Amino acid sequence: MIRIRALTKQYGDNTVLRGVDLDAAPGEFVVVLGESGAGKSTLLRCVNRLAVADGGELEVDGMDAVHCADTRALRQRVAMIFQHHNVVPRLSALKNVLTGRLGAVSTLASVLHFFSREDIALAHECLGRVGLAHKAHARTDSLSGGQMQRVGIARALAQRPRVILADEPVASLDPQTSRKVLQYLHDASRALGITVLCNLHQVDYAREFADRIVGLAQGRVVFDGPPQEMGQADIDRIYMAPPSPERAEAALQPALALPSMARTGA
Ligand SMILES: Nc1ncnc2c1ncn2[C@@H]1O[C@H](COP(=O)(O)OP(=O)(O)O)[C@@H](O)[C@H]1O
Ligand SMILES: [Mg+2]
């Protein structure tokens, strides 16, 4: 569903992605794990062309996302969930979810906020998938933070995407709420066969929810495998020690980072 090869991205003279390879199968839940500044958000943004990669290949559901002629078509297939549940507070949960359909309905209908009976039924179904069927008509600003984020997930699902990009979807939630939100996201993607790329910086959530973990450090993949294969040495590589000049220099040399990826069994 997603195929990324040697992807590079620079902002001015700041090289953020240094040749990223990543594959995600249909329905796979891939966690991109890395500390702040590793390039996780940039990587996700390249997938739906909120950022345009400088080099390499990036295919989503057979579409070339680097030299994409039809960004709108790409974004219909790729839904996004943000860290700060960007829901409209004064609208009901249902109306927020219906906005997920806007890309799919005609321009006139979307201007008039006219939704078909099918769209409304779909929105209810999506709220049901995140355990919020009973909150459909509640104003979104009366919901808790976790519930708002679940509305954001339901809205993404209502888009009927092939891929969901979730950029630190639980960053502002407490651990218990975070687990609940990730569980809903995981279960929905499993049930509907949606591929998820989920950025996280917490190892424990990654272990718990990922089918596969891709560890990113300074714009490079330093681990790629199932959670049970991620050992302490891999975690150390993902979360580099506090910056020291030697460490920073070593991290920039692929020859040092990659061969040691061979399973150390740590
Ligand atoms: N729009 C942008 N313009 C300039 N620099 C950016 C932009 N987005 C990200 N960066 C830089 O790219 C690097 C990686 O950022 P980011 O992808 O947000 O990492 P992460 O999500 O892992 O924290 C940082 O050094 C950040 O300052
Ligand atoms: Mg980020």
Side-chain angles (χ1 to χ4, degrees), residues 85 144-147 169-182 202 204-205:
H85 29 76
S144 69
Q147 288 173 331
V170 296
S172 46
L173 303 175
D174 65 75
Q176 198 191 344
T177 309
S178 295
R179 289 206 156 79
K180 199 165 171 183
V181 167
L182 287 170
Q202 305 93 332
D204 47 348
Y205 297 160

Side-chain angles (χ1 to χ4, degrees), residues 9-12 14-17 32-45 51 167-168 199-200 216 219:
K9 176 69 183 171
Q10 268 177 265
Y11 287 110
N14 182 11
T15 303
V16 178
L17 300 179
V32 179
L33 182 65
E35 61 182 12
S36 179
K40 305 182 296 298
S41 293
T42 303
L43 178 61
L44 244 63
R45 292 162 63 85
D167 195 0
E168 308 239 13
N199 284 350
L200 291 175
L216 204 63

Side-chain angles (χ1 to χ4, degrees), residues 102-236:
L102 287 180
V105 299
S106 76
T107 310
L108 181 63
S110 73
V111 167
L112 297 175
H113 273 230
F114 174 80
F115 297 100
S116 68
R117 205 178 282 180
E118 289 77 15
D119 281 345
I120 292 168
L122 174 64
H124 278 291
E125 182 199 316
C126 294
L127 279 171
R129 288 203 183 273
V130 297
L132 288 178
H134 61 298
K135 293 288 188 186
H137 300 291
R139 265 176 69 126
T140 308
D141 51 10
S142 72
L143 303 179
S144 69
Q147 288 173 331
M148 284 193 206
Q149 192 57 297
R150 282 147 63 191
V151 171
I153 294 172
R155 181 180 51 196
L157 297 174
Q159 198 182 319
R160 290 228 165 105
R162 309 300 307 270
V163 172
I164 289 180
L165 307 174
D167 195 0
E168 308 239 13
V170 296
S172 46
L173 303 175
D174 65 75
Q176 198 191 344
T177 309
S178 295
R179 289 206 156 79
K180 199 165 171 183
V181 167
L182 287 170
Q183 191 69 53
Y184 276 117
L185 178 60
H186 184 271
D187 292 351
S189 83
R190 179 67 38 99
L192 299 169
I194 299 170
T195 302
V196 176
L197 276 193
C198 180
N199 284 350
L200 291 175
H201 64 265
Q202 305 93 332
V203 178
D204 47 348
Y205 297 160
R207 275 198 201 287
E208 210 169 317
F209 294 99
D211 294 326
R212 224 177 70 240
I213 297 173
V214 172
L216 204 63
Q218 297 198 334
R220 279 205 176 83
V221 174
V222 296
F223 176 81
D224 186 344
Q228 61 274 19
E229 282 184 21
M230 185 174 71
Q232 191 54 48
D234 300 307
I235 294 171
D236 289 347

